[in-house]
Amino acid sequence: LIAGLLCGFSGQSLAEKSKYVIGGWLPGTSSEITSRLKPLFENYLTTYFHSILNNSISFEFVPVDFDEESYANKKIRAGEIDFLYTLSGRMVCVETEFSWIPIVTQRARVIGKETGAQGSVVYSLKSNKKLRNISDFKDAMIGVGYLLSSESYHFGYQLLVQHGIDIFVDAPKVVFYANDYQAQLDDVLKEKIDAGILPSTWLVENAKEILESKLLVHNPSQYTYEGDIFPFPTSTPLGPQPGVMASPGVPWHVKEKVIDALTHLTKDDPAAIAAGISTFTMPGHFADVRRALDDLGIIHQPTLLGWSEGFINAWCHSPFDDTLETVDCPPGHVMQNGATIHYKCHKDGMDCPDGRPCLCHPCQLDLQVRVFPARVVLGLVVTLFSLVLLLSACWVFPLEAAPYTRHAAR
């Protein structure tokens, strides 16, 4: 009965199905990702189950998170997908809100090299003399990628915060490029913006010559991940490559068979070649990814208002929310209204490129914090001093007044 109630509450069934649906997202268009991932998550898995495992279960791949209609969270709540292939930051959000379980992490094959990790590159043009190190970013117009991508947003943002720069306080303009990484790079090359944040492996795979000849990697660092030295440039610590997670409603023996099939994938398999994947391994560690999401306020803790709206667990914003809603101002700062921000962009001659969402100094110092602290401190000092005098008077008065009272009584 308890199991039935739990399954009913989650909208999932623990009964084995004949077909399981895998939702998937990567940067690019829906059709591009489908052609890249369908051979793996539909054809390869179905064939492996039928031929190798002698099991009649089949699989279907559907692209998710390309628009509000295909939003993975919506499909999860409706019970329309059973597995999800996506980026590490997105996986942390889904695990946090829905208790889905990461089951495998891919090992990508990039320019002939294998890696199970992903870094983030904070970059600008070598010819841009204004930006020679991280401290120069206070006055830089910056492009970021996908809202729920640690490698094109969270890690780079966190690095700048660690160096005393909050892009929503200090940067004159922040442009959101979502999954169009190429457009961000193009705008840096055309000097429409000063700097950007992109995944290491994406830059190496799609713009290696430009990276080496024209781009300056800020805070270049060398990291190891699960014993392997990361072979590509990175400005930040590493997170795991994209992976697959499973719904709590999928029976464990089915998850186990999916793990078996994906970890037996070889780099020479046509499905692996199409996906740009060498194979899959056990799930990577997400500690640095989760820490970045927590530090930057990407993960929101439940509140009474959230409970009333159905958010009973911690949650992340949707990539389709209004951009302004996704910004969490640092302590001591308040959010300006949208009209003020957009007017400031226009007034300062920094309209958003190609109509993309952008914000110009959305977080301003709280005027109450800025104007009144000296008065508050002075008031406290005066109050404490007066209190000390009053207590002193109360302490001395009875000693001097007592004889007088007794004398009066006589």
Side-chain angles (χ1 to χ4, degrees), residues 301-313 315:
Q301 297 305 317
T303 61
L304 289 176
L305 177 61
W307 291 336
S308 70
E309 295 176 350
F311 293 106
I312 59 175
N313 298 321
W315 54 281

Side-chain angles (χ1 to χ4, degrees), residues 26 35-37 39-41 85 106 205 265 270-277:
L26 282 178
S35 64
R36 180 174 172 180
L37 298 179
L40 172 60
F41 291 121
Y85 169 81
Q106 74 179 31
E205 189 171 30
L265 180 72
I273 294 171
I277 295 171

Side-chain angles (χ1 to χ4, degrees), residues 229-272:
I229 296 176
F230 188 61
F232 308 117
T234 183
S235 304
T236 69
L238 308 172
Q241 279 279 325
V244 178
M245 56 195 324
S247 162
V250 176
W252 171 245
H253 69 91
V254 174
K255 296 174 190 170
E256 193 173 38
K257 290 180 174 67
V258 170
I259 293 170
D260 180 63
L262 292 177
T263 54
H264 278 87
L265 180 72
T266 63
K267 64 182 180 181
D268 298 323
D269 191 292

